[in-house]
Amino acid sequence: CIMIIGAYFFGYVVGSITTIIAQRSRAKTQFYQSMDELNRFMVSTSLPDHIRVRCRNYFRYNYHNNSDDWVPILRHMTPSLRELVVLQTSASWIGDLTIFKDLPGACLTSIALSMVTQTYGPEEELIRI
């Protein structure tokens, strides 16, 4: 009986570790596929080396900082569940802005879902004056 429990526990641990590795390697595989596509694009367009370096640095930065766009997942939720999730995750900082302070939750949810996530690399110029 103890051997069966031990075998079950061992199988559970091995299965959990395998799942974690598979999920981690999937994201890494997608990153490398994106880098391959980027490199093919840069070769086909004959981009200069200094621009290629900036592009690769941006893709690495974006990968390591995990800039995910969750809006497609939120759009699959029911309106009430979506509002609950958005109010918990992002509408709080939107509601702190003076212009949006007194808006109802449904309105804040619409604003949050309409926003576009944009990642900028380190030392990248946002505004040129």
Side-chain angles (χ1 to χ4, degrees):
C1 182
I2 293 176
M3 290 185 78
I4 292 174
I5 293 171
Y8 172 78
F9 181 72
F10 178 75
Y12 178 78
V13 169
V14 169
S16 297
I17 291 171
T18 304
T19 301
I20 290 169
I21 291 171
Q23 288 175 345
R24 183 174 272 171
S25 66
R26 182 174 21 150
K28 191 175 253 184
T29 300
Q30 288 174 339
F31 167 69
Y32 284 120
Q33 287 173 343
S34 295
M35 290 299 283
D36 288 342
E37 289 176 32
L38 174 66
N39 286 324
R40 282 193 302 274
F41 167 75
M42 292 187 300
V43 167
S44 70
T45 57
S46 302
L47 283 175
D49 287 342
H50 71 282
I51 295 176
R52 291 179 190 207
V53 168
R54 283 191 64 185
C55 289
R56 288 186 190 109
N57 286 342
Y58 171 77
F59 272 71
R60 281 188 205 103
Y61 177 81
N62 202 23
Y63 171 70
H64 291 295
N65 289 292
N66 197 16
S67 298
D68 292 324
D69 181 14
W70 299 110
V71 172
I73 290 172
L74 292 170
R75 293 200 191 284
H76 287 292
M77 296 179 185
T78 62
S80 60
L81 180 59
R82 185 181 322 130
E83 181 176 338
L84 179 68
V85 170
V86 170
L87 287 175
Q88 185 65 41
T89 57
S90 60
S92 60
W93 65 266
I94 294 171
D96 288 343
L97 299 172
T98 306
I99 192 168
F100 302 132
K101 203 140 197 90
D102 298 321
L103 293 177
C107 190
L108 292 176
T109 300
S110 294
I111 291 169
L113 291 175
S114 299
M115 296 181 126
V116 177
T117 302
Q118 182 67 50
T119 302
Y120 293 93
E123 300 179 25
E124 192 166 346
E125 220 175 272
L126 301 181
I127 299 173
R128 181 175 288 169
I129 298 176

